[in-house]
CSV table of all heavy atoms in Angstrom, one decimal:
chain,number,residue,atom,x,y,z
L,180,SER,N,-9.1,3.6,10.6
L,180,SER,CA,-8.4,4.8,10.0
L,180,SER,C,-6.9,4.7,10.2
L,180,SER,O,-6.2,5.0,9.2
L,180,SER,CB,-9.0,6.1,10.6
L,180,SER,OG,-10.3,6.2,10.3
L,181,ALA,N,-6.5,4.3,11.3
L,181,ALA,CA,-5.0,4.2,11.6
L,181,ALA,C,-4.4,3.2,10.7
L,181,ALA,O,-3.3,3.4,10.2
L,181,ALA,CB,-4.8,3.9,13.1
L,182,ILE,N,-5.0,2.0,10.5
L,182,ILE,CA,-4.5,1.0,9.7
L,182,ILE,C,-4.4,1.5,8.2
L,182,ILE,O,-3.4,1.3,7.5
L,182,ILE,CB,-5.4,-0.3,9.8
L,182,ILE,CG1,-5.1,-0.9,11.1
L,182,ILE,CG2,-5.0,-1.3,8.6
L,182,ILE,CD1,-6.1,-2.1,11.4
L,183,CYS,N,-5.5,2.1,7.7
L,183,CYS,CA,-5.5,2.6,6.4
L,183,CYS,C,-4.4,3.7,6.1
L,183,CYS,O,-3.9,3.7,5.0
L,183,CYS,CB,-6.9,3.2,6.0
L,183,CYS,SG,-8.1,1.9,5.8
L,184,GLU,N,-4.2,4.5,7.1
L,184,GLU,CA,-3.2,5.6,6.9
L,184,GLU,C,-1.8,5.2,7.2
L,184,GLU,O,-0.9,5.9,6.9
L,184,GLU,CB,-3.6,6.8,7.9
L,184,GLU,CG,-4.9,7.4,7.6
L,184,GLU,CD,-5.0,8.0,6.2
L,184,GLU,OE1,-4.0,8.8,5.8
L,184,GLU,OE2,-5.9,7.7,5.4
L,185,SER,N,-1.6,4.0,7.7
L,185,SER,CA,-0.2,3.6,8.1
L,185,SER,C,0.5,3.0,6.8
L,185,SER,O,-0.1,2.7,5.8
L,185,SER,CB,-0.3,2.5,9.1
L,185,SER,OG,-0.8,1.3,8.6
L,186,ARG,N,1.8,2.9,7.0
L,186,ARG,CA,2.6,2.2,5.9
L,186,ARG,C,2.8,0.8,6.2
L,186,ARG,O,3.0,0.0,5.3
L,186,ARG,CB,4.0,2.9,5.8
L,186,ARG,CG,3.9,4.4,5.4
L,186,ARG,CD,5.2,5.1,5.5
L,186,ARG,NE,6.2,4.5,4.6
L,186,ARG,CZ,7.5,4.8,4.6
L,186,ARG,NH1,7.9,5.8,5.3
L,186,ARG,NH2,8.3,4.2,3.7
L,187,ALA,N,2.7,0.4,7.5
L,187,ALA,CA,2.8,-1.0,7.8
L,187,ALA,C,2.2,-1.2,9.2
L,187,ALA,O,1.9,-0.3,9.9
L,187,ALA,CB,4.3,-1.5,7.9
L,188,VAL,N,1.9,-2.5,9.5
L,188,VAL,CA,1.3,-2.9,10.8
L,188,VAL,C,2.1,-3.9,11.4
L,188,VAL,O,2.6,-4.9,10.8
L,188,VAL,CB,-0.2,-3.4,10.5
L,188,VAL,CG1,-0.7,-4.0,11.8
L,188,VAL,CG2,-1.1,-2.4,10.0
L,189,VAL,N,2.4,-3.7,12.7
L,189,VAL,CA,3.0,-4.7,13.6
L,189,VAL,C,1.9,-5.3,14.4
L,189,VAL,O,1.2,-4.6,15.1
L,189,VAL,CB,4.1,-4.2,14.4
L,189,VAL,CG1,4.7,-5.2,15.4
L,189,VAL,CG2,5.3,-3.6,13.6
L,190,ALA,N,1.8,-6.7,14.4
L,190,ALA,CA,0.7,-7.3,15.2
L,190,ALA,C,1.4,-8.4,16.1
L,190,ALA,O,2.0,-9.3,15.7
L,190,ALA,CB,-0.3,-8.0,14.3
L,191,ASP,N,1.1,-8.2,17.4
L,191,ASP,CA,1.6,-9.1,18.4
L,191,ASP,C,0.5,-10.2,18.7
L,191,ASP,O,-0.5,-9.9,19.3
L,191,ASP,CB,2.0,-8.4,19.7
L,191,ASP,CG,2.9,-9.2,20.6
L,191,ASP,OD1,2.7,-10.5,20.6
L,191,ASP,OD2,3.6,-8.7,21.4
L,192,CYS,N,0.8,-11.4,18.3
L,192,CYS,CA,-0.2,-12.5,18.5
L,192,CYS,C,-0.1,-13.1,19.9
L,192,CYS,O,-0.9,-14.0,20.1
L,192,CYS,CB,0.1,-13.6,17.4
L,192,CYS,SG,-0.1,-13.0,15.7
L,193,THR,N,0.7,-12.6,20.7
L,193,THR,CA,0.9,-13.2,22.1
L,193,THR,C,-0.5,-13.2,22.8
L,193,THR,O,-1.1,-12.2,22.9
L,193,THR,CB,1.9,-12.4,22.9
L,193,THR,OG1,3.2,-12.4,22.2
L,193,THR,CG2,2.1,-13.0,24.3
L,194,GLY,N,-0.9,-14.4,23.3
L,194,GLY,CA,-2.1,-14.5,24.0
L,194,GLY,C,-3.4,-14.7,23.2
L,194,GLY,O,-4.5,-14.8,23.7
L,195,LYS,N,-3.2,-14.8,21.9
L,195,LYS,CA,-4.3,-15.1,21.0
L,195,LYS,C,-5.5,-14.1,21.2
L,195,LYS,O,-6.7,-14.5,21.2
L,195,LYS,CB,-4.9,-16.5,21.1
L,195,LYS,CG,-3.9,-17.6,20.8
L,195,LYS,CD,-4.5,-19.0,20.9
L,195,LYS,CE,-3.5,-20.1,20.5
L,195,LYS,NZ,-4.1,-21.5,20.7
L,196,ASN,N,-5.2,-12.9,21.2
L,196,ASN,CA,-6.2,-11.8,21.5
L,196,ASN,C,-7.1,-11.7,20.2
L,196,ASN,O,-6.5,-11.4,19.1
L,196,ASN,CB,-5.5,-10.5,21.8
L,196,ASN,CG,-6.5,-9.4,22.1
L,196,ASN,OD1,-7.1,-8.8,21.3
L,196,ASN,ND2,-6.6,-9.1,23.4
L,197,PRO,N,-8.4,-11.9,20.3
L,197,PRO,CA,-9.2,-11.8,19.1
L,197,PRO,C,-9.3,-10.4,18.5
L,197,PRO,O,-9.4,-10.3,17.2
L,197,PRO,CB,-10.6,-12.2,19.7
L,197,PRO,CG,-10.6,-11.9,21.1
L,197,PRO,CD,-9.1,-12.2,21.5
L,198,ASN,N,-9.1,-9.4,19.2
L,198,ASN,CA,-9.1,-8.0,18.6
L,198,ASN,C,-7.9,-7.9,17.7
L,198,ASN,O,-7.9,-7.2,16.6
L,198,ASN,CB,-9.0,-6.9,19.7
L,198,ASN,CG,-10.3,-6.9,20.5
L,198,ASN,OD1,-11.4,-7.2,20.0
L,198,ASN,ND2,-10.2,-6.4,21.8
L,199,VAL,N,-6.7,-8.4,18.1
L,199,VAL,CA,-5.5,-8.3,17.3
L,199,VAL,C,-5.7,-9.0,16.0
L,199,VAL,O,-5.4,-8.5,14.9
L,199,VAL,CB,-4.3,-8.9,18.0
L,199,VAL,CG1,-3.1,-9.1,17.1
L,199,VAL,CG2,-3.9,-8.1,19.2
L,200,PHE,N,-6.4,-10.2,16.0
L,200,PHE,CA,-6.6,-11.0,14.8
L,200,PHE,C,-7.6,-10.2,13.9
L,200,PHE,O,-7.5,-10.3,12.6
L,200,PHE,CB,-7.1,-12.4,15.1
L,200,PHE,CG,-6.0,-13.2,15.8
L,200,PHE,CD1,-6.4,-14.0,16.9
L,200,PHE,CD2,-4.7,-13.1,15.5
L,200,PHE,CE1,-5.5,-14.8,17.6
L,200,PHE,CE2,-3.7,-13.9,16.1
L,200,PHE,CZ,-4.1,-14.7,17.2
L,201,TYR,N,-8.6,-9.6,14.5
L,201,TYR,CA,-9.5,-8.8,13.7
L,201,TYR,C,-8.8,-7.7,13.0
L,201,TYR,O,-9.0,-7.4,11.8
L,201,TYR,CB,-10.6,-8.2,14.6
L,201,TYR,CG,-11.8,-7.6,13.9
L,201,TYR,CD1,-12.7,-8.4,13.2
L,201,TYR,CD2,-12.0,-6.3,14.0
L,201,TYR,CE1,-13.8,-7.8,12.6
L,201,TYR,CE2,-13.1,-5.7,13.4
L,201,TYR,CZ,-14.0,-6.5,12.7
L,201,TYR,OH,-15.1,-5.9,12.1
L,202,GLU,N,-7.9,-7.0,13.7
L,202,GLU,CA,-7.1,-5.9,13.1
L,202,GLU,C,-6.1,-6.4,12.0
L,202,GLU,O,-5.9,-5.7,11.0
L,202,GLU,CB,-6.4,-5.2,14.2
L,202,GLU,CG,-7.4,-4.4,15.1
L,202,GLU,CD,-6.8,-4.1,16.5
L,202,GLU,OE1,-5.6,-4.0,16.6
L,202,GLU,OE2,-7.6,-3.9,17.4
L,203,ILE,N,-5.6,-7.6,12.2
L,203,ILE,CA,-4.8,-8.2,11.1
L,203,ILE,C,-5.6,-8.4,9.9
L,203,ILE,O,-5.2,-8.1,8.7
L,203,ILE,CB,-4.2,-9.6,11.6
L,203,ILE,CG1,-3.1,-9.3,12.7
L,203,ILE,CG2,-3.5,-10.3,10.4
L,203,ILE,CD1,-2.7,-10.6,13.3
L,204,GLY,N,-6.8,-8.9,10.0
L,204,GLY,CA,-7.7,-9.1,8.9
L,204,GLY,C,-8.0,-7.7,8.2
L,204,GLY,O,-8.1,-7.7,7.0
Side-chain angles (χ1 to χ4, degrees):
S180 297
I182 289 171
C183 288
E184 295 300 309
S185 71
R186 296 173 62 184
V188 172
V189 173
D191 195 333
C192 299
T193 302
K195 296 182 177 179
N196 185 283
N198 292 333
V199 170
F200 296 138
Y201 190 68
E202 290 158 24
I203 291 172

